[in-house]
Amino acid sequence: MNARVQHHVAGRLSLRPPQAESVAKLIAALNAAPELLAHDVEGQPRDVAEILNSLKGQFATLEDFEREFPSLCFALATGVGKTRLMGAFIAYLHLAHGINNFFVLAPNLTIYNKLIADFTPNTAKYVFKGIAEFAQQPPLIITGDNYDQSGAAVADAPAGFAHDVRINIFNISKINSEVRGGKEPRIKRMKEVLGDSYFNHLANLPDLVLLMDESHRYRASAGVRSINELRPLMGLEVTATPFVESTKGPVPFKNVVMDYPLARAMEDGFVKEPAVATQRNFDAKAHSAEEIEKIKLEDGVRLHENTKVELQTYALDNGVKRVKPFMLVIARDTTHAAQLKDLIESPAFFEGRYTGKVIQVDSSRTGAEEEEMIARLLAVESVDEPTEIVIHVNMLKEGWDVTNLYTIVPLRAANARTLVEQSIGRGLRLPYGKRTGVEVVDRLTIVAHDKFQEIVDEANKGDSPLKLKTIILEAPSQDDRKVSVQVQSGVMSALGLATATPSAPDQIAGDGKAVDPVQPVAKPLFTTDAERNAAVIALQVIAQYEVKRDTVPTSGALLTPTVQAQIVVEVQARLQPKQGDVLGDADSQAHLLDVAAVVAKTAQVVVQQTIDIPRIAVVPSGEVTTGFHPFKLDLNGLHLQPSEREIVIHNLQNNKQSHLASQAGLRESRLADYIVRELVEFDDIDYFTQADLLYDLAGQMLTHLKTYLSEESDIVNVLDGHRRTIANAIHAQMMANFWEKASSYEVKVSRGFTELRPCNYTAAAGQPVQLIRDTLTEVSKIRQMLFGGFAKCLYPLQKFDSDTERRFAVILERNAIKWFKPAKGQFQIFYKLGAEQPEYIPDFVVETDQFILMAETKSKDDMKDGEVKAKADAAVQWCKHASDYAQSVGGKPWKYLLVPHDGVREDKRLVDYLQYQQV
């Protein structure tokens, strides 16, 4: 039951692997110490020390709860999703164990307001989206602002309401301020609710669970000590920094049971890659502090403007939403922040380009100014909001979750470690939810000319926040060693020609061999070496018949007498001994060999182990012409700046360097030639047919540059130093205006069926092969597993990207004739997304009595994603062409299914999914 709830919560909330692993660890704790959910009985309090001892055996990193009640810490790097994890904890505890009352602590007003929004239905980041049990009756949100009214509502509610989930959200900084001077917190002094104070009402609840967001911020505060009196069942702490600062340095938490540091988040691609930038050969000693500050600001703007163009280009190339980046400047104090704002908005700073585009965020603002500041800060991700530079002193810490921070300019004195730890945390979140593979789009840059080498050295230390994985992960075992596994289709196994592995039959050997642990050993079709040799040759000959579409339009044609007779002749010819071969036992066996029987058996197995996948190409016929429509460039976001020196950008994770150059190329005789020369480097641009358009576009760019650069030398500097960036931006817009004309198009089918390609997987050596119908205990590790135990799959082993895919395969095992997960290159379906045409690999291919299905499972949130739609459109067109061909040769029609994850349940039949057919 609990495992089913675990999978339900992980699937519905689309938990990332570290989030799912955290839920699994909570479940492991509850299994190891069931007393965690047992409330104190009057006169018989729980033995907290005994619970701790029970859990120490489960978690090697757990030393002490550090509270008067059991409390476990889950340390997840910034940007991985701690708020969603708290939602998963609440959903699981309620659905699996009937826990109804939760108390959530926020460290400050920003996070307090954010948590209220994220736990409120119909908001952008609602944490329970997908949990059907909360759709009709969402949890009641009780806050530090409404608990008197909401508490009364609980008391006056009808019977049955007591079973609803109640989430209390309070700001610990408010409680801290109200206990100063020995006062009791307001919630303990409020008017009577249910005959007692609300605080005591909470303390008397038998199922109160405490969740602490960013718990490192208030571990030793008086407010938290007062929380001990709530006597919760347990505490669940989430933080990105599981330590508290002291005069002797950081003191690690002793109750960490899950640690997913920044290094792993970067390695797994969940956050941006941090980098530090400086000028080439920069000598800080040669400049005053004021000069260094101005240089860093100007170079920060250069990086910001370059990033803005790259993001716009990426959005156009890939048909995705545009991201507006902003730059964060860290000031020394409020006076310094005000001076910086005046400078940046002055005409002396890039000719006043950032006037009205800067906000100052600090405690000096009050009243209407503060409200305007907060409103602009919360809207900074919007492409319609004008802010491009945010100046702050010390207000932007945990809780400010933005994805479009790309450049940080720290101007406050601090050591390198502090700069790295405090600066990068706010900018690590990715705007598209995942890495794009484009360096600038995936990078967060800290401008630190005066601290460059110090930061690089700090990042390369063993205890750096970017290197934590080297000191906190357990030593790798033999089982952690990865091997490459190649899985052939079931043809060789069915023919008895597969090579047996010397390893245990249910494990992946160190050499990458793997076998199905439960596949029964079939009676061998061939008993002599001569027969087996002939069967191998027969397979080679049959493979060549794929291209003979006129003779073999489908795999079933391999069984016709005419085709088999031709195959027999070719096999016999290859079996003839070469001149000079010595006749021996094998040759004498060959004389007795019934080649026709071997070919018949081999062909029969090939047909049984094949789903006919035609090779289809749509090609233009007749005269084909291409070109670009004339258009006006959109240059609103492009304000590249000149520079005197080259900026060096150093990636703190992999130590690679890139640069943003000043003048580096040859001087062109005409300004437009800087642009045109770069544009003609693209393979799809022909100078001779497109020269007029190219110079028109270059002229538009020059006109734009002259609107904010008055000196020609500055224009040349920008054209030369940013020539590739400018060309990329123009080319992306050209591709949106590309046209191709052909007198007609023709669908060509070169093959009626194709041999199943081998699947190449990476897996852990020594890992057991999982059975397809077994319920998984570690769903987060499913991508590392190989599955077997199939009856209808055309491969003996398969890999799945999610447990949803595994459950869909269980349905196919029950209802399909045969199925498989295709390897790359099996279909060669290409979908157009921007300028690229990547290959689409569907999740499943399924044959039934009446048709063949191409099926894809996707999370509900991804069903409307642009890339998913582009793949679906390409797949639908392919299926239409394949059905037309199948009809001409008496085959089965093709259908394309796009199935939402929450629709995959094992109580359904395959026919039930036809409602998801795409047309």
Side-chain angles (χ1 to χ4, degrees), residues 435-454:
R435 297 258 181 91
T436 64
V438 178
E439 181 183 2
V440 178
V441 178
D442 297 337
R443 186 180 68 206
L444 169 67
T445 306
I446 305 169
V447 181
H449 297 33
D450 47 338
K451 295 282 186 179
F452 178 80
Q453 191 59 53
E454 187 180 339

Side-chain angles (χ1 to χ4, degrees), residues 78-123:
T78 297
V80 174
K82 293 183 288 297
T83 306
R84 182 167 291 271
L85 175 60
M86 287 195 292
F89 284 159
I90 291 172
Y92 174 79
L93 289 171
H94 172 67
L95 296 175
H97 297 283
I99 303 298
N100 292 331
N101 292 284
F102 300 89
F103 192 93
V104 181
L105 273 179
N108 55 39
L109 183 61
T110 303
I111 296 183
Y112 170 71
N113 290 328
K114 169 183 173 294
L115 288 174
I116 292 173
D118 290 350
F119 280 99
T120 301
N122 302 317
T123 53

Side-chain angles (χ1 to χ4, degrees), residues 295-338:
I295 291 170
K296 289 170 67 175
L297 282 173
E298 291 175 346
D299 285 344
V301 167
R302 287 182 58 204
L303 288 164
H304 165 69
E305 291 294 346
N306 182 72
T307 301
K308 195 193 313 184
V309 176
E310 294 286 358
L311 283 167
Q312 184 174 352
T313 302
Y314 177 81
L316 288 170
D317 278 346
N318 295 277
V320 294
K321 66 177 182 180
R322 184 166 70 88
V323 174
K324 179 204 72 176
F326 75 93
M327 182 173 86
L328 179 65
V329 180
I330 305 173
R332 294 189 297 272
D333 50 43
T334 55
T335 301
H336 184 222

Side-chain angles (χ1 to χ4, degrees), residues 59 194 259 318-319 321 418 444 467 478 537 692 729 731 813:
F59 304 106
L194 300 180
D259 201 351
N318 295 277
K321 66 177 182 180
T418 302
L444 169 67
K467 301 291 184 180
Q478 176 65 25
I537 294 175
D692 291 342
H731 180 256
E813 283 288 289

